[in-house]
Amino acid sequence: MDLTQGYGHQTKLLHLNASNAKNRQRIEDFAAVTEDAQPLDKDFSLFAYYPDMTLTITRDGQAGPTAVVDINGDYVDFYYSGETQLYRSKMSSVDLKKLIHQPTK
């Protein structure tokens, strides 16, 4: 799993591999950002000009789609790179920030 800051800068915030149960669980927790998300009926051009981060989760050696994520007040909105459908995560912005700032060891 790779989490990077911004869209153009690609400053790596977090890289996790599933080398232990704690890391595997944390990767699954990050996967919850995009799972069961609701499509937004919102014009793609209204999405934040500078998204907060990108999230890519690799499973079984295959990188999944990259989610371009914007923390929008209480909500976490995203789209998949190369697509124009916007989604709203069921995960709150508070919960995502807590997940990001967990100690890695």
Side-chain angles (χ1 to χ4, degrees):
M1 186 215 79
D2 289 308
L3 182 70
T4 56
Q5 183 176 13
Y7 187 61
H9 300 295
Q10 298 301 313
T11 302
K12 191 167 288 187
L13 293 175
L14 189 61
H15 171 79
L16 291 174
N17 60 40
S19 59
N20 60 51
K22 184 178 178 181
N23 280 359
R24 280 191 296 277
Q25 182 57 53
R26 192 161 178 209
I27 291 168
E28 291 305 315
D29 292 345
F30 271 105
V33 171
T34 59
E35 294 172 349
D36 299 323
Q38 298 298 315
L40 282 178
D41 186 22
K42 183 176 172 183
D43 186 348
F44 183 75
S45 65
L46 297 176
F47 194 77
Y49 187 66
Y50 294 110
D52 294 306
M53 59 197 73
T54 58
L55 173 65
T56 305
I57 296 180
T58 301
R59 287 189 171 121
D60 300 323
Q62 299 290 337
T66 296
V68 179
V69 179
D70 183 56
I71 297 174
N72 184 8
D74 293 335
Y75 302 104
V76 177
D77 296 337
F78 69 94
Y79 67 90
Y80 293 108
S81 185
E83 297 183 13
T84 58
Q85 174 63 56
L86 299 176
Y87 297 91
R88 177 152 291 159
S89 176
K90 287 189 176 181
M91 183 179 289
S92 71
S93 62
V94 171
D95 289 339
L96 177 59
K97 289 175 185 177
K98 284 180 186 175
L99 184 60
I100 292 169
H101 296 292
Q102 280 181 8
T104 55
K105 295 189 183 206

